[in-house]
Amino acid sequence: MNTIKFKALALSAATGIATLLGSAANAVEIEYWQYFFDARVAAMEQLIDNFEAANPDITVKMTHFPYADYRTKVAAAIPAGEGPDVVQLFYGWLNDYVEAELIQPLPADAFPAATIDEEFFPMVQAMKDGDAYWALPTAVRSLALFYNERLLAEAGVEPPTTMEEMIAAAAAMTKRDGAGNLTQVGMTAGMTAQDHHWWREGLIRQMGGEPYMADYTKVNYNSDAGLKALEFYTSLFTGDDAVTAIGFMDEPQAAFKAGRAGMHIDGSFRIGSLNKTRGLKWGVTELPATADGAQSNYSSYWVNAITTKAEGEKYDAAVKFMAYVTSDEAMQIWLDVVGELPAKPSVGLTEANANNDVYGPFIRGLAYANTTKFANESAQRQLMVEMVERITLEGMSPAESLALAAEAEQKILDEYYAD
Amino acid sequence: MTRYRNLSIKQKQIVWAYAFLAIPIVFYGVIRFYPTGNAILISFQDWNLLGDRTWTGLDNYAKLFADPTFWKVFKNTFVYLLIGTPVSLVVSFFIAYHLDKTRFMHGFLRMLYFLPFMTSAVAMAWVWRWFYQPVPIGLFNNFLSTFGIPQIAFLNSTTNALPSILAPAVWAGLGFQIIIFMAGLRAIPQSYYEAARIDGVSTWTVLWEITLPLLKPTIVFIVVFSSIGFLRIFDHVFNMTTGNPGGPLNSTKPLVLMIYETAFSSFDMGYAAAQTVVLFLVLLVVSLLQLRILRDR
């Protein structure tokens, strides 16, 4: 190839690239970050495709990385002017992100608080500060009672709807060997899993209590209702008529998956992995009510927020993207792909969704669900674990252990809200 | 460049020597000393990874010394050290001493002892975790129940949990210590043993007067090395107690696990850094003490 030809070729290649870059510069590119979870990434890819088709001048680049690195990376990137324009975070982290000025409130014209109050399930209001929402979820999760259909049929009992029925069904499904060791439990138990949510927002409220006061800054469960809830919970695995044991088969969901536990309380996020468990025939029903019909549930969610990095046209694009990922259409896609529940009654409580065999109990549970505002979820969960351990391993009375837990949790809250 | 040209050969050699030495020094400076210094700095600050760092003086240390969990954890860390180090020292010496004399399948036996050291600590911890479960899945308890012996709560107990976790940790480190001991034993000149045999000295005396004194440098190395290992124990405890990190009522929690939790689940970096500084000082003091005591007087 002679020099002149080569130069011409190089020149045309260079102009070609320049044109490409030029046209790309016309479109706004925004970045979206979330943690890596197969189904969530697949759902988000679908949402981004739909959004880009409707807004050809905007491209969305999704980045995802392991859950463990999430906070560190977001914290390092945004102040450096890198990283996401729209970011996904756990609702419990919101305060930290607001205080660190990593996210900005949603604009009131596109996301009027009054409309959101009306359109979303009420627990979303935890994301509201004054007249502005800081963040909004696409999907929410709640708890329900999973049951093993084979074990239920074998014991000749029906899926329970009240606590009494639950205890009776659990007793019918519990099996022991000759030495009295449990070989099959009626239901699973363990504060390390979802039970601490069930106890806090479910049982205590059902016993007529209020677990926290003053917007979750004051512990209020050291009360009659709290004690009743704790005694009910510990009665499951203490005494001769125990229907379960803490740590049976190491982890509650493992025991349920292995078909050695009749019932199991868990979140909607468990559906996917139970579906993949071969040979397990399971069903799901709402959390058991009290004899007089009191129901309560716990809900948690991941939210999307606009970061302080998004400015100018990127900000406008980010607002449009936020509007799309919190739309009815996006919620239905999220439900179908990930199995997480829509955050709006208008999508969740459609005939088809609310009566769905699998999602229905969770969606109906949202209507009476509460969301705990955690200061430090893992530390607060650990206190519940220790509350039970003091009773089972050290023989402390439930009342005394409850008081200790309440005191320790108040300390965590005080420290967190001190500044 | 002219300046370099004017140097004598000897000086040029020195320049080159330092150029090469600079690589590890810079490397250590950037990945060791800078973070260490930074950690000490953070221990006097309040930082949640997201916001600004603010100075808090000695608050983190005051909080640490007033925290009952810290003292519990501090005690656990020393229990790991005070049980783990002597037990692994004696067991590994015993095995090495006898393995050294064994000719039958020597290589194979040595491989068997060394194998756990090469196994991933995470995989091993999970297998042991399942061994320790109650019936119907735990190997040990299933074995007990076959003979009608009551169940033992290995991990779900405030008293049994720590030794239960220590056992696989000791076992895992054994291979390495045996190899070091055997190298030490081989390094002892045969002529001493021959002289002892000619004088008709008993086996005990040989062990006591020749083998052990001459093994001293090896013993010092293993004691210091395994002490640091036990003071920093983490992966076995973390994996055998995930879900309830640190075992029932913190009965197995070592300092490193507490640091990890404070930093990466409570995001209290200042407090975690203060704990790290304390761990650093403990390691420093323990290592210096051991070197002093075990060195030749």
Side-chain angles (χ1 to χ4, degrees):
Chain A
M1 192 190 284
N2 65 47
T3 332
I4 298 170
K5 259 191 184 167
F6 177 75
K7 275 185 179 166
L9 190 75
L11 188 70
S12 65
T15 43
I17 291 167
T19 333
L20 270 175
L21 286 174
S23 66
N26 286 333
V28 191
E29 188 185 78
I30 55 170
E31 275 203 52
Y32 176 78
W33 280 19
Q34 71 168 334
Y35 77 96
F36 180 76
F37 188 83
D38 251 342
R40 300 174 83 94
V41 171
M44 192 37 82
E45 272 165 3
Q46 208 175 328
L47 293 185
I48 289 174
D49 285 347
N50 292 352
F51 177 73
E52 285 178 345
N55 300 277
D57 55 334
I58 304 176
T59 53
V60 182
K61 190 178 151 220
M62 172 167 56
T63 309
H64 48 76
F65 29 78
Y67 183 74
D69 302 340
Y70 198 71
R71 188 168 169 125
T72 334
K73 289 213 169 155
V74 173
I78 296 175
E82 299 284 323
D85 300 286
V86 178
V87 67
Q88 192 183 65
L89 35 119
F90 191 59
Y91 81 95
W93 301 345
L94 190 83
N95 272 344
D96 290 345
Y97 279 71
V98 170
E99 265 176 30
E101 290 172 14
L102 293 176
I103 58 173
Q104 46 184 322
L106 301 174
D109 49 342
F111 299 92
T115 321
I116 295 172
D117 288 349
E118 204 173 294
E119 285 182 353
F120 281 74
F121 279 111
M123 66 262 170
V124 173
Q125 288 169 22
M127 298 297 106
K128 186 166 70 166
D129 187 19
D131 292 335
Y133 270 88
W134 282 98
L136 279 176
T138 300
V140 294
R141 310 103 157 240
S142 65
L143 302 178
L145 182 72
F146 289 92
Y147 54 83
N148 184 319
E149 288 184 349
R150 284 212 185 94
L151 299 187
L152 229 56
E154 190 187 286
V157 282
E158 290 290 304
T161 57
T162 67
M163 291 180 187
E164 260 173 37
E165 285 174 21
M166 182 179 77
I167 299 285
M173 288 185 283
T174 306
K175 282 186 191 161
R176 289 170 189 279
D177 65 10
N181 303 314
L182 286 166
T183 55
Q184 178 176 305
V185 293
M187 66 181 293
T188 61
M191 286 289 192
T192 52
Q194 297 298 311
D195 284 7
H196 75 110
H197 294 308
W198 179 44
W199 184 77
R200 260 183 244 271
E201 298 292 356
L203 293 174
I204 294 179
R205 287 179 192 276
Q206 285 174 289
M207 304 294 175
E210 179 90 23
Y212 298 87
M213 302 292 269
D215 200 22
Y216 288 92
T217 59
K218 287 274 170 280
V219 175
N220 190 44
Y221 56 68
N222 188 12
S223 62
D224 284 351
L227 186 58
K228 260 207 268 177
L230 182 59
E231 280 170 346
F232 172 78
Y233 184 67
T234 49
S235 74
L236 298 175
F237 45 80
T238 50
D240 292 337
D241 54 349
V243 293
T244 184
I246 301 265
F248 177 76
M249 292 189 71
D250 201 9
E251 290 169 310
Q253 75 272 15
F256 186 74
K257 275 188 198 167
R260 295 272 194 157
M263 291 174 286
H264 172 57
I265 287 174
D266 213 330
S268 32
F269 40 81
R270 189 68 61 196
I271 295 170
S273 82
L274 289 181
N275 274 335
K276 277 188 228 147
T277 309
R278 281 207 313 181
L280 180 71
K281 271 184 74 187
W282 58 276
V284 62
T285 181
E286 284 177 73
L287 289 184
T290 57
D292 45 10
Q295 286 180 298
S296 189
N297 202 322
Y298 164 78
S299 156
S300 67
Y301 43 92
W302 283 73
V303 291
N304 293 304
I306 300 177
T307 67
T308 43
K309 181 206 151 199
E311 285 170 352
E313 54 180 4
K314 288 199 177 208
Y315 177 76
D316 298 334
V319 170
K320 277 190 195 167
F321 186 61
M322 270 296 295
Y324 178 67
V325 295
T326 52
S327 67
D328 290 14
E329 182 188 319
M331 288 180 189
Q332 188 64 48
I333 291 176
W334 205 267
L335 175 67
D336 295 338
V337 179
V338 187
E340 286 187 321
L341 319 169
K344 285 180 185 174
S346 59
V347 194
L349 298 178
T350 57
E351 196 78 3
N353 286 342
N355 292 325
N356 184 297
D357 278 346
V358 175
Y359 302 125
F362 293 98
I363 293 175
R364 293 196 297 276
L366 286 175
Y368 48 86
N370 290 283
T371 297
T372 320
K373 283 191 194 174
F374 285 107
N376 178 350
E377 186 178 352
S378 59
Q380 283 170 275
R381 182 193 61 190
Q382 195 58 32
L383 294 177
M384 303 296 102
V385 174
E386 288 175 11
M387 174 172 73
V388 170
E389 282 171 348
R390 282 191 297 267
I391 299 169
T392 54
L393 300 178
E394 297 192 324
M396 193 183 271
S397 77
E400 205 177 329
S401 191
L402 181 71
L404 282 179
E407 194 185 319
E409 189 163 0
Q410 186 62 54
K411 210 172 138 204
I412 292 180
L413 295 180
D414 285 347
E415 224 166 78
Y416 183 77
Y417 292 109
D419 33 45
Chain B
M1 236 30 245
T2 44
R3 199 186 273 176
Y4 177 73
R5 219 173 294 150
N6 292 337
L7 296 176
S8 68
I9 289 181
K10 182 115 187 161
Q11 284 167 324
K12 281 181 182 169
Q13 282 176 336
I14 293 173
V15 169
W16 276 104
Y18 273 104
F20 283 114
L21 281 177
I23 296 168
I25 291 171
V26 169
F27 180 75
Y28 260 85
V30 174
I31 71 150
R32 285 269 157 127
F33 300 129
Y34 168 72
T36 308
N38 218 341
I40 295 174
L41 202 67
I42 294 172
S43 73
F44 298 105
Q45 293 172 328
D46 185 25
W47 187 37
N48 70 353
L49 260 188
L50 294 180
D52 296 325
R53 301 185 189 178
T54 49
W55 288 94
T56 55
L58 290 170
D59 280 8
N60 286 323
Y61 291 96
K63 183 178 166 190
L64 191 63
F65 295 124
D67 186 347
T69 315
F70 170 72
W71 290 111
K72 171 91 193 160
V73 163
F74 198 75
K75 195 190 123 208
N76 289 343
T77 310
F78 275 91
V79 173
Y80 281 118
L81 171 73
L82 294 176
I83 300 180
T85 304
V87 167
S88 66
L89 191 75
V90 170
V91 174
S92 61
F93 176 75
F94 182 81
I95 295 173
Y97 186 75
H98 289 279
L99 197 59
D100 191 44
K101 300 192 150 102
T102 314
R103 288 288 153 263
F104 177 68
M105 295 216 299
H106 177 87
F108 179 71
L109 286 174
R110 201 170 54 183
M111 187 270 287
L112 277 190
Y113 282 113
F114 197 65
L115 214 53
F117 184 70
M118 304 199 302
T119 313
S120 142
V122 177
M124 191 153 62
W126 276 90
V127 170
W128 277 80
R129 177 187 176 135
W130 290 324
F131 280 171
Y132 281 141
Q133 293 302 313
V135 283
I137 58 169
L139 183 79
F140 298 148
N141 273 322
N142 271 335
F143 184 73
L144 291 179
S145 82
T146 323
F147 295 98
I149 302 169
Q151 301 277 290
I152 296 176
F154 287 103
L155 294 174
N156 189 24
S157 150
T158 49
T159 47
N160 299 348
L162 195 146
S164 303
I165 288 176
L166 191 57
V170 167
W171 177 62
L174 225 47
F176 180 74
Q177 302 190 1
I178 290 171
I179 295 290
I180 301 289
F181 261 130
M182 284 179 63
L185 287 170
R186 294 277 161 94
I188 297 172
Q190 284 298 318
S191 51
Y192 294 161
Y193 291 115
E194 280 162 15
R197 218 177 300 144
I198 291 166
D199 289 349
V201 177
S202 76
T203 323
W204 266 113
T205 320
V206 169
L207 176 67
W208 211 247
E209 300 293 336
I210 298 177
T211 311
L212 284 178
L214 287 173
L215 267 182
K216 198 157 187 184
T218 314
I219 295 174
V220 172
F221 172 75
I222 291 181
V223 166
V224 173
F225 191 85
S226 79
S227 302
I228 294 177
F230 284 114
L231 284 173
R232 294 192 319 184
I233 189 167
F234 174 78
D235 29 13
H236 283 92
V237 191
F238 181 75
N239 286 291
M240 288 175 76
T241 61
T242 48
N244 185 7
L249 298 170
N250 293 322
S251 53
T252 68
K253 193 182 279 179
L255 196 48
V256 184
L257 182 54
M258 184 179 179
I259 294 172
Y260 173 82
E261 282 197 301
T262 314
F264 300 110
S265 71
S266 300
F267 302 111
D268 194 346
M269 304 311 276
Y271 192 33
Q275 294 163 11
T276 314
V277 171
V278 169
L279 176 68
F280 169 71
L281 294 176
V282 168
L283 284 172
L284 193 69
V285 169
V286 168
S287 305
L288 288 178
L289 270 181
Q290 286 174 338
L291 284 175
R292 231 192 132 79
I293 293 169
L294 294 170
R295 272 281 148 80
D296 290 324
R297 268 148 242 167

